[in-house]
């Protein structure tokens, strides 16, 4: 259970579902907490289930030719895997209310219950969730960032489109500050226990506010960056990062460092994968 969370927590059934009340010192930020019975981690970032052994979980993690993440820079294809085309990304995100934050043990995830989607080349992908990695998983022209946000979408055929957004230290992020308050208040909203979900009925958050103003994206065909490492992802990583203040970034990097799967390294970023001759486009 997150020690930063206040409120009563009561047992609510034989399946290990807990409910309770959480308050961050503001009626606007009060909400409910649910704790599902913890399941065993199928992978971790340290120990016997760490990345060096992910091939035992799914062979493609070791043997795949389209694994992610990769070093991003424009690259001509040599291996027969063309990048997604140059069609514009049409973002149609709706504010999500209530707003949910979940600790999965491997990342902090923000499930989206609103009717949000993107369209690319006439194909619609529904937004399922966005989550965070620290440090960034991709690099852009050799540069790594303190944080990377993945917006995960799925189309009707079961193929994924992931928008990647780098986060750099800089000015305070106004969308986070206006929605979640000070860094101290923001930190109180992040669940610290595995399979813990916090729901805030009074918070309405538009995920499009976490996208950069610039529309240029690096595009390539790749995979999930965690087991089962399925090679079903078209990646669209924004060239321009967004900014958060040092204190706002610390809230999220500290949350990653506290995840049960990361160990003393405090990171949940997969190592860079070989490009295997894939094409990378930079589309303005």
């Amino acid at each position: 259970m997150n020690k930063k969370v206040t409120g009563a927590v009561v047992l609510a059934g034989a399946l290990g579902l807990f409910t309770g009340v959480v308050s961050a010192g503001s009626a606007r930020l009060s909400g409910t907490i649910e704790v599902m019975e913890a399941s065993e981690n199928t992978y971790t970032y340290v120990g016997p289930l760490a990345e060096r052994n992910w091939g035992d979980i799914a062979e493609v993690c070791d043997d795949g030719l389209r694994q992610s993440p990769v070093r991003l820079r424009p690259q001509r294809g040599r291996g027969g895997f063309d990048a997604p085309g140059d069609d514009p990304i049409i973002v149609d995100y709706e504010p999500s209310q209530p707003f949910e934050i979940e600790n999965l043990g491997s990342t902090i995830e923000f499930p989206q219950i609103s009717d949000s989607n993107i369209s690319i080349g006439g194909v619609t992908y529904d937004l399922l969730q966005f989550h965070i990695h620290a440090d960034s998983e991709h690099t852009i022209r050799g540069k790594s960032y303190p944080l990377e946000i993945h917006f995960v979408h799925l189309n009707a055929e079961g193929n994924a489109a992931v928008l990647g957004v780098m986060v750099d230290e800089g000015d305070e992020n106004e969308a986070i500050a206006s929605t979640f308050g000070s860094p101290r208040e923001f930190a109180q909203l992040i669940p610290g226990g595995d399979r813990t979900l916090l729901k805030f009925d009074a918070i309405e958050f538009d995920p499009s506010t976490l996208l950069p103003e610039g529309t240029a994206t690096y595009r390539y065909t790749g995979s999930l960056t965690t087991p089962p490492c399925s090679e079903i992802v078209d990646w669209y990583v924004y060239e321009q990062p967004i900014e958060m203040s040092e204190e706002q970034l610390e809230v999220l990097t500290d949350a990653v460092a506290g995840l049960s799967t990361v160990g003393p390294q405090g990171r949940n970023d997969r190592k860079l994968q070989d490009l295997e001759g894939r094409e990378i486009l930079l589309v303005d």
Side-chain angles (χ1 to χ4, degrees), residues 22 109 139 152 169 216 282:
V22 56
E109 182 175 287
T139 61
V152 181
E169 184 179 323
L282 176 58

Side-chain angles (χ1 to χ4, degrees), residues 108-127:
I108 301 298
E109 182 175 287
F110 303 81
Q112 289 301 287
I113 59 174
S114 61
D115 186 18
S116 294
N117 60 71
I118 60 173
S119 296
I120 306 172
V123 179
T124 298
Y125 299 80
D126 293 324
L127 177 63

Side-chain angles (χ1 to χ4, degrees), residues 31-148:
T32 58
I33 180 172
E34 297 179 0
V35 184
M36 300 302 296
E37 185 173 16
S39 57
E40 246 183 79
N41 292 315
T42 57
Y43 68 91
T44 63
Y45 292 90
V46 293
L49 296 177
E51 184 177 345
R52 65 182 180 277
N53 295 321
W54 285 1
D56 296 334
I57 302 171
E59 289 184 6
V60 70
C61 295
D62 281 346
D63 301 338
L65 299 179
R66 290 179 291 166
Q67 289 294 291
S68 299
V70 299
R71 297 170 178 84
L72 293 174
R73 63 181 186 276
Q75 181 77 40
R76 179 177 295 181
R78 296 179 291 101
F81 297 115
D82 293 334
D86 58 1
D87 294 298
I89 303 169
I90 301 172
V91 178
D92 185 15
Y93 287 172
E94 297 292 334
S96 185
Q97 188 177 23
F99 187 68
E100 299 181 353
I101 308 176
E102 186 171 10
N103 182 328
L104 296 181
S106 56
T107 188
I108 301 298
E109 182 175 287
F110 303 81
Q112 289 301 287
I113 59 174
S114 61
D115 186 18
S116 294
N117 60 71
I118 60 173
S119 296
I120 306 172
V123 179
T124 298
Y125 299 80
D126 293 324
L127 177 63
L128 303 182
Q129 44 93 352
F130 61 96
H131 63 267
I132 59 175
H133 291 271
D135 291 347
S136 68
E137 297 202 294
H138 295 88
T139 61
I140 295 181
R141 298 184 183 270
K143 178 178 173 60
S144 179
Y145 290 84
L147 200 75
E148 183 173 344

Side-chain angles (χ1 to χ4, degrees), residues 157-275:
E157 284 70 45
N159 295 313
V162 179
L163 304 185
V165 175
M166 301 297 182
V167 185
D168 209 354
E169 184 179 323
D171 293 336
E172 180 180 71
N173 188 287
E174 293 183 4
I176 289 177
S178 62
T179 303
F180 305 118
S182 69
R184 183 178 179 181
E185 287 181 304
F186 187 26
Q188 289 179 307
L189 307 183
I190 307 295
D194 281 11
R195 308 305 303 175
T196 304
L197 182 143
L198 302 185
K199 181 184 296 184
F200 300 94
D201 295 331
I203 292 180
E204 182 179 84
F205 186 74
D206 183 350
S208 68
T209 59
L210 293 178
L211 300 180
E213 292 182 2
T215 59
T217 54
Y218 288 93
R219 304 182 177 197
Y220 77 100
T221 59
S223 74
L224 305 177
T225 64
T226 60
C229 307
S230 305
E231 295 180 336
I232 59 169
V233 181
D234 285 343
W235 279 95
Y236 303 84
V237 180
Y238 284 93
E239 181 181 42
Q240 180 186 14
I242 64 170
E243 292 184 350
M244 294 184 190
S245 68
E246 178 183 2
E247 294 78 13
Q248 289 175 323
L249 266 174
E250 282 181 354
V251 170
L252 296 175
T253 55
D254 286 353
V256 169
L259 294 169
S260 64
T261 64
V262 303
Q265 66 172 347
R267 295 169 49 172
N268 66 341
D269 54 320
R270 188 187 189 189
K271 70 179 182 182
L272 291 163
Q273 303 294 299
D274 291 336
L275 194 57

